[in-house]
């Protein structure tokens, strides 16, 4: 709900997210970063706590996780986090699927962290490469054929309904995600190759404890001669994302919103010029995003010279403080004149409902809290 008040009490800098003079900048905000907000100027780093109980930040490295599809062509991605609105999984498939697959519970949005290859989809072949988002409509039949190589890693976000572009707001068609940059497949039916049957694996939430169902066809299911409409698979590379910036204010994450489904918001934090007005904080402020759980997936890059570990998956439950450590903030202030850009590549998934980390995530938590 909008309000008409924005009060100022006690010691506060004149500008927001600037000129902190030793105070710690902490935001208590509603609706992600778009609702009513209080900026709290604290004496101490609010992330300096030790947690006990289930609502704890978790940090895992994708390279330490072992989806069954990493070693077995008939295997599956590994579930990382879930709630009623979405499931987030990791795939590390190095070999072609010996089956086709169909996610029947909702749209699928996959981020290609490592590797390249090709998808056979009902809409036609769709090449993919590192940095691509792959969008696959609910119920679409497809098959992954990775190129030969040691590395293959996808972060997969399965919604309970449709991924859509966000409302354009005042940016209109200048929204950072320009849909005219997407790659759309051309229909290309595939001839049968003489085998007895073609398997289509339906992926779904557990039904009587079982998460897959297999359909057997006597023909190749990629047999579409032509298609028309506005419900189709595509890819979009993050290199084509137009990052919005400000010289005097580190903008909130919501500015970088890419696509959204009910209760699920996907953002791209990508290389950009650094803020230039002296005194401006270049590091995202501390917060406890009270209405959203957050997953940050570190694709690569660095924060003013501090490398960000590629493949780190970080989960912050709603209501629990997080943010870059104080020493990284001090360094960014100290090196203000040495850097004129930030080259981070981080994918964020924010969810309205609380996420439950899977046993695999909990088993590999780096235990940083
Ligand atoms: Fe956050």
């Amino acid at each position: 709900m909008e309000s008409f008040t924005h009060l100022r009490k006690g010691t506060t800098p004149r500008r927001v997210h600037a000129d902190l003079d030793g105070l710690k900048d902490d935001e208590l905000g509603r609706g992600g970063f778009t609702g009513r907000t209080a900026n709290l100027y604290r004496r101490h780093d609010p992330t300096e706590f030790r947690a006990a109980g289930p609502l704890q930040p978790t940090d895992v490295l994708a390279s330490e996780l072992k989806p069954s599809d990493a070693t077995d062509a008939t295997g599956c991605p590994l579930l990382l986090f879930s709630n009623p609105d979405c499931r987030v999984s990791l795939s590390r498939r190095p070999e072609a699927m010996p089956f086709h697959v169909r996610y029947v519970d909702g749209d699928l949005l996959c981020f290609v962290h490592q590797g390249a290859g090709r998808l056979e989809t009902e809409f036609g072949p769709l090449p993919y490469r590192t940095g691509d988002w792959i969008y696959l409509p609910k119920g679409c039949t497809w098959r992954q054929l990775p190129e030969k190589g040691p590395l293959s890693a996808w972060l997969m976000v399965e919604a309970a309904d449709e991924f859509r572009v966000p409302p354009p707001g005042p940016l209109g068609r200048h929204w950072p995600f320009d849909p005219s940059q997407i790659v759309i497949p051309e229909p290309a039916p595939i001839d049968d190759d003489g085998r007895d049957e073609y398997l289509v694996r339906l992926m779904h939430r557990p039904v009587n404890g079982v998460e897959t169902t297999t359909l057997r066809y006597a023909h190749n299911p990629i047999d579409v001669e032509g298609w028309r409409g506005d419900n189709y698979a595509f890819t979009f590379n993050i290199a084509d994302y137009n990052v919005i910036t400000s010289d005097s204010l580190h903008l909130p994450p919501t500015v970088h919103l890419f696509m959204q489904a009910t209760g699920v918001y996907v953002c791209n934090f990508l290389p950009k010029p650094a803020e230039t007005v002296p005194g401006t904080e270049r590091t995202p402020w501390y917060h406890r995003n009270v209405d959203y759980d957050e997953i940050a997936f570190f694709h690569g890059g660095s924060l003013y010279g501090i490398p960000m570990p590629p493949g780190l998956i970080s989960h912050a439950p709603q209501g629990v403080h997080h943010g870059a450590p104080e020493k990284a903030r001090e360094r960014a202030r100290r090196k203000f004149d040495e850097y004129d850009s930030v080259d981070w590549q981080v994918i964020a998934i924010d969810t309205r409902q609380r996420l439950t980390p899977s046993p695999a995530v909990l088993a590999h938590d780096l235990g940083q809290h």
Side-chain angles (χ1 to χ4, degrees), residues 33 253 285 287 289 294 316 322-323 350:
F33 296 87
W285 49 92
H287 56 284
N289 208 343
E294 298 182 20
H322 60 276
D350 291 3

Side-chain angles (χ1 to χ4, degrees), residues 199-257:
L199 308 184
V200 176
R201 178 182 292 177
L202 308 188
M203 306 290 289
H204 48 77
R205 286 179 184 262
V207 178
N208 298 328
V210 181
E211 297 191 346
T212 63
T213 295
T214 300
L215 308 183
R216 297 173 186 275
Y217 286 90
H219 62 268
N220 192 318
I222 307 300
D223 62 349
V224 174
E225 293 277 357
W227 60 268
R228 54 184 284 180
D230 59 0
N231 185 36
Y232 49 84
F234 65 81
T235 63
F236 174 82
N237 196 275
I238 56 172
D240 291 326
Y241 197 70
N242 298 313
V243 182
I244 294 173
T245 62
S246 162
D247 266 347
S248 57
L249 178 64
H250 186 89
L251 295 171
T254 36
V255 167
H256 309 293
L257 182 58

